[in-house]
Amino acid sequence: MEGAWFIDPRFARYILDNAPLETLAEGFRWIEGLVWMGDAGCLLFQDLPRDRTMRWIEDVGVSVYRAPSGYANGQARDRTGRLIACSHRDRCLYRTDYDGQVTRLVDRHGGKRLNAPNDVVVKSDGSIWFTDPLYGISTDYEGGRQESEQPPALYRFDPASADIRVMASDFDGPNGLAFSPDERRLYVAETGDQSKVDPAQFIRVFDLSPDGLSLSGGDLFHKVDPGYCDGLKVDEDGNVWSSAADGVHCISPDGELLGKLLVPHRVSNLCFGGPMRNRLFIGGSHTLYAIFLNRRGATWP
């Protein structure tokens, strides 16, 4: 099933009736970590279980960008355009510099190894925020079983000072994350302890302190149904676009479900891209989709 499901009249103005859901490529095992590279005119994403980063270019198609990738998952760009990636296998964040050189940024906290960094965002002050659940080291499918040395957590890393600190530790499985357009709020997906029959799964919202060095709140923002939120992104109006079992859900800044983009396969992650940042790229299990919207992804000053 595909198309738009309108729950709130406000959702209608985000949808273009002549812009259908497009299938861009298929045949992957599980798509993650979508990031738009505007200066290169391409989309990068992970074929995670195959341990490779893929590149999609309009009218060209898909090619391998990096293999092996260290079982990379979430990706983002820093304030100068360099690519930041989360590695399950190497349990670290790494950066790809302009000349292609790969630099390991951080792999430990308090002298202990990180678990398996999952998703990452970069704030306008250059700080790198990332989630560190156990998923990538709990099975051999997405990185390889390894022993955990510390609990799941949400981290802030300052590449200038190499300071790394825990921003929140009351998670079973922190996953996707995104800032509001004004960076006063941080949304984090809790996908829970998936070894349990009924894991805690919902989106939480935190308030940032004025200096950006502490969080408060962490309340339940929205519970996705069906399925759960894995990856999420924010548009220019502050709406949260979340992955779900039936597609992509659009949630208002107040936590209200506005509507859904129905996708044939379970969605893992998504990102805004294209020259106008109004094209939503969607990882639907083994298939890469895209749809043009009447809204742009959030940008920061």
Side-chain angles (χ1 to χ4, degrees):
M1 181 182 294
E2 60 185 73
W5 183 12
F6 298 87
I7 295 171
D8 186 295
R10 288 174 289 177
F11 189 56
R13 64 176 183 263
Y14 302 151
I15 302 302
L16 301 168
D17 61 9
N18 62 343
L21 182 72
E22 303 171 88
T23 299
L24 303 183
E26 51 192 341
F28 310 100
R29 285 189 180 149
W30 182 252
I31 295 174
E32 278 283 6
L34 296 81
V35 61
W36 177 252
M37 309 289 285
D39 48 352
C42 70
L43 176 79
L44 297 183
F45 62 96
Q46 313 294 0
D47 189 355
L48 179 52
R50 285 196 174 104
D51 190 19
R52 60 189 189 182
T53 303
M54 310 302 295
R55 173 174 49 203
W56 173 87
I57 300 175
E58 185 84 78
D59 298 326
V60 175
V62 175
S63 60
V64 176
Y65 174 77
R66 172 177 288 133
S69 67
Y71 285 88
N73 191 335
Q75 301 181 104
R77 304 186 75 182
D78 71 11
R79 304 311 295 180
T80 63
R82 294 172 296 185
L83 183 67
I84 310 295
C86 299
S87 169
H88 285 183
R89 172 63 64 82
D90 299 324
R91 301 169 70 164
C92 72
L93 292 184
Y94 65 80
R95 182 183 67 212
T96 303
D97 294 318
Y98 305 123
D99 60 2
Q101 179 177 336
V102 175
T103 301
R104 182 175 295 208
L105 295 177
V106 60
D107 59 9
R108 293 178 183 270
H109 172 259
K112 297 180 180 180
R113 296 189 70 188
L114 299 173
N115 292 306
N118 186 286
D119 206 359
V120 58
V121 292
V122 179
K123 195 169 175 287
S124 61
D125 63 3
S127 60
I128 300 171
W129 298 61
F130 67 97
T131 54
D132 187 42
L134 276 63
Y135 305 135
I137 57 171
S138 62
T139 73
D140 289 323
Y141 189 56
E142 294 186 351
R145 284 181 293 172
Q146 302 179 55
E147 291 296 321
S148 170
E149 297 181 18
Q150 49 193 321
L154 165 69
Y155 289 95
R156 177 188 185 272
F157 174 68
D158 182 350
S161 66
D163 174 68
I164 179 171
R165 61 183 67 187
V166 173
M167 303 304 293
S169 58
D170 57 338
F171 282 96
D172 291 331
N175 204 321
L177 70 169
F179 286 107
S180 62
D182 60 9
E183 296 187 328
R184 294 180 180 178
R185 307 175 98 189
L186 176 66
Y187 301 97
V188 185
E190 166 69 275
T191 51
D193 182 348
Q194 296 188 4
S195 67
K196 296 181 178 179
V197 174
D198 187 22
Q201 295 178 329
F202 43 82
I203 303 172
R204 299 175 63 183
V205 60
F206 295 86
D207 294 317
L208 274 75
S209 61
D211 62 5
L213 296 178
S214 63
L215 298 176
S216 60
D219 302 326
L220 188 152
F221 170 69
H222 183 85
K223 183 171 176 58
V224 167
D225 183 40
Y228 55 86
C229 175
D230 183 338
L232 66 156
K233 292 294 184 289
V234 176
D235 70 18
E236 59 189 336
D237 294 339
N239 299 307
V240 175
W241 296 75
S242 168
S243 58
D246 59 350
V248 177
H249 294 190
C250 180
I251 306 155
S252 77
D254 297 325
E256 301 172 349
L257 179 62
L258 300 181
K260 302 180 180 183
L261 299 174
L262 301 178
V263 178
H265 302 287
R266 173 184 165 192
V267 172
S268 58
N269 220 318
L270 59 150
C271 79
F272 286 92
M276 305 300 292
R277 299 191 67 82
N278 67 329
R279 196 175 191 182
L280 189 67
F281 293 92
I282 301 167
S285 182
H286 58 279
T287 304
L288 179 66
Y289 299 98
I291 187 170
F292 285 97
L293 299 172
N294 191 29
R295 276 302 177 274
R296 297 175 177 176
T299 56
W300 287 268

